[in-house]
Amino acid sequence: MAAQHLPSSTDVSATGPEKHPVDEKLPALKMATSGLQHVAAMYAGVVAPPLIVGAAVGLTATELTFLTGACLFTAGLATFLQTLGIWKIGARLPFVNGVTFAGVAPMIAVVNSTDDKRDALPVIFGAVIVAGVLGFLAAPFFSKAVRFFPPVVTGTVITLIGISLMPVAFGWAQGPDPAAHDYGSTTNLGLAGATLLIVLLLRRFTRGFVKQIAVLLGLVAGTLVAIPFGVTDFAPVADAAVVGFPTPFHFGAPQFQLAAILSLCVVMVVSMTESTADMLALGEIVGRPADEKTIAAGLRADTLGSAVSPLFNGFMCSAFAQNIGLVAMTRIRSRYVVATGGGFLVLMGLCPMAASLIAVVPRPVLGGAGVVLFGSVAASGIQTLVKAGLEKDNNVLIVAVSLAVGIIPITAPEFYHAFPETAKIILDSGISTGCVAAVALNLVFNHLGASRECDEVTAPMEPGPGVGPGSVPAPTTPGAGAGAGTGPGPVAAR
């Protein structure tokens, strides 16, 4: 098998040192198509918040289109900050940024509490600016938490990210509108299944570049299959303008109200927690682990993008976990590919007609592709957990309880219904609660106390070595009791 190895474009050459795949620049066609895949994976997530908030405000169809284009434009700018970076800003990883859905509920609350709905967007924009500036200043302090994220924590969080995204894919598969008569119909589910099958077939029976853009090809094929069923709507293309620019402060100068600012600051903390987890996940996937410096730079990009976004009528920006699944599946790790996707987002913000082309893809088709993308994230988390020392009983407990806490909002959405709305912003994010639980349990079980015993087990529900008739004590491993969860144990070493 060794004879079949071919040197990659990242191998050491005679002209210079080895270049990491994250910093590799691909051919133009491959860069463009791979970038489009990232846009297709994130598009629905970017446009959903402005559509929901805009409808609550009572915007006209023209104003709603403008707000959506503004969010696409600012998502592209924030993605540039993350991937290309300036000074100490930007993780310089294939990291996509866009409008965070965590802010939707607080923004709707601001709308409902505003007497004149025309003032709602300026109040929201003012709160986002303040939250972004405060988050930018706090980024270097927040990033120091990276030492509390050993593999047992990061693996749990990555797995939770994938699991938490699965309901999104399932919702897309059923259709765009839960109130519609065909929501969850056999036609919609069939289109989702057909798209999933196409992606799987392409991944199984093709090679090279075609295999890497299987998701994009699956979306195109699924859209074509959907045409005879009347699910594909080309009206957005016909109605969209060719050129449009998100005029600064189109909806009025920002207003600053304390209640709205406090609410959006809480969302910013949640967003920074999720972004930290996402950076750790992406760092593991691309083979460039995110250290404290990288996380601080990434959080600065998140928060600066959020602070600048309202100037162009956009909302708070954060990491998009679904694109991590695309990186994990395609193994295209170049940050310039994602930067190219950011360029497409900017162009869509400036050209509503171009943005409408992505909008043509039916939601069930997106759902079928989403199963692959989001499942890939969960699989990456499981791969990280394999290295986390799960032969140690303490780590099994950390993973078990953290996963249970993290999936509460998914399996029991009304579990926290009696809590205050501000608390529910955090509790309803399974990624955030699971992350906090994993960090806290890892501190309790693996760090607190001068010495501790950690039984090694072969499986969570089976007795460890030396238990039961005829058993033989397992050989000891030097340092097995210290630093649990921070490196491979006997199983990994074997």
Side-chain angles (χ1 to χ4, degrees):
M1 295 300 291
Q4 296 179 358
H5 171 73
L6 295 176
S8 68
S9 58
T10 59
D11 288 341
V12 179
S13 65
T15 59
E18 180 181 359
K19 180 181 291 186
H20 195 282
V22 169
D23 299 317
E24 186 179 10
K25 295 182 180 179
L26 307 181
L29 178 60
K30 190 171 185 178
M31 195 93 77
T33 52
S34 300
L36 275 175
Q37 275 198 137
H38 280 282
V39 174
M42 73 176 297
Y43 181 84
V46 173
V47 301
L51 289 176
I52 295 171
V53 175
V57 173
L59 299 182
T60 64
T62 303
E63 291 173 329
L64 206 55
T65 300
F66 180 91
L67 185 63
T68 303
C71 288
L72 289 168
F73 179 77
T74 54
L77 295 181
T79 300
F80 282 153
L81 276 177
Q82 278 290 13
T83 54
L84 303 179
I86 54 172
W87 185 55
K88 297 181 179 180
I89 302 170
R92 292 171 174 83
L93 291 170
F95 205 46
V96 177
N97 272 46
V99 182
T100 175
F101 209 89
V104 171
M107 288 190 290
I108 293 296
V110 171
V111 173
N112 294 335
S113 63
T114 305
D115 295 331
D116 188 347
K117 293 295 185 285
R118 290 176 296 180
D119 292 333
L121 286 177
V123 170
I124 290 171
F125 293 150
V128 172
I129 291 173
V130 174
V133 171
L134 293 178
F136 184 87
L137 296 175
F141 305 101
F142 203 93
S143 66
K144 294 184 183 300
V146 68
R147 64 179 182 272
F148 301 119
F149 287 84
V152 69
V153 175
T154 56
T156 301
V157 174
I158 297 168
T159 304
L160 272 175
I161 291 172
I163 294 173
S164 297
L165 288 170
M166 276 300 179
V168 177
F170 299 150
W172 288 348
Q174 295 179 84
D177 184 8
H181 67 89
D182 63 343
Y183 187 74
S185 65
T186 54
T187 298
N188 288 346
L189 297 182
L191 289 172
T195 303
L196 173 59
L197 180 61
I198 291 170
V199 172
L200 292 176
L201 291 174
L202 287 171
R203 291 288 298 178
R204 174 63 181 86
F205 295 107
T206 61
R207 295 182 178 180
F209 181 52
V210 174
K211 183 176 183 178
Q212 290 176 324
I213 62 168
V215 173
L216 181 61
L217 295 177
L219 291 173
V220 173
T223 301
L224 294 176
V225 171
I227 292 176
F229 296 94
V231 178
T232 307
D233 182 14
F234 292 96
V237 179
D239 298 338
V242 178
V243 179
F245 183 78
T247 311
F249 303 127
H250 177 81
F251 296 99
Q255 300 178 24
F256 303 95
Q257 294 185 4
L258 182 59
I261 290 172
L262 292 176
S263 180
L264 269 297
C265 281
V266 172
V267 175
M268 179 58 74
V269 172
V270 174
S271 174
M272 292 173 73
T273 303
E274 292 189 354
S275 288
T276 299
D278 289 341
M279 275 183 273
L280 291 166
L282 187 58
E284 290 288 332
I285 290 169
V286 301
R288 179 182 281 179
D291 55 14
E292 183 178 321
K293 180 180 177 182
T294 301
I295 292 174
L299 292 177
R300 287 192 188 99
D302 263 12
T303 52
L304 180 61
S306 296
V308 173
S309 184
L311 304 181
F312 298 99
N313 314 283
F315 298 139
M316 187 179 292
C317 294
S318 182
F320 265 54
Q322 51 262 54
N323 292 81
I324 297 176
L326 189 58
V327 174
M329 191 190 74
T330 64
R331 304 304 300 168
I332 298 178
R333 295 177 277 177
S334 171
R335 59 190 173 102
Y336 296 103
V337 165
V338 175
T340 302
F344 283 122
L345 290 171
V346 170
L347 290 176
M348 287 178 177
L350 299 175
C351 178
M353 182 173 287
S356 65
L357 290 175
I358 298 293
V360 167
V361 179
R363 202 64 60 84
V365 173
L366 280 174
V371 171
V372 178
L373 296 178
F374 306 157
S376 297
V377 178
S380 297
I382 295 171
Q383 289 176 332
T384 303
L385 286 174
V386 169
K387 301 181 293 183
L390 291 188
E391 72 282 354
K392 296 178 173 61
D393 197 31
N394 284 352
N395 288 347
V396 171
L397 289 174
I398 293 169
V399 175
V401 175
S402 301
L403 287 177
V405 171
I407 64 174
I408 286 175
I410 303 172
T411 56
E414 300 300 320
F415 190 82
Y416 300 112
H417 75 277
F419 284 73
E421 290 298 323
T422 304
K424 287 198 289 186
I425 294 173
I426 300 173
L427 296 173
D428 283 342
S429 170
I431 298 171
S432 296
T433 55
C435 179
V436 171
V439 170
L441 290 171
N442 181 61
L443 285 173
V444 171
F445 281 98
N446 291 330
H447 292 277
L448 296 181
S451 62
R452 56 190 178 273
E453 294 294 331
C454 184
D455 295 332
E456 296 181 3
V457 296
T458 56
M461 300 303 292
E462 293 178 9
V467 180
S471 59
V472 179
T476 58
T477 302
T486 59
V491 172
R494 186 178 65 211

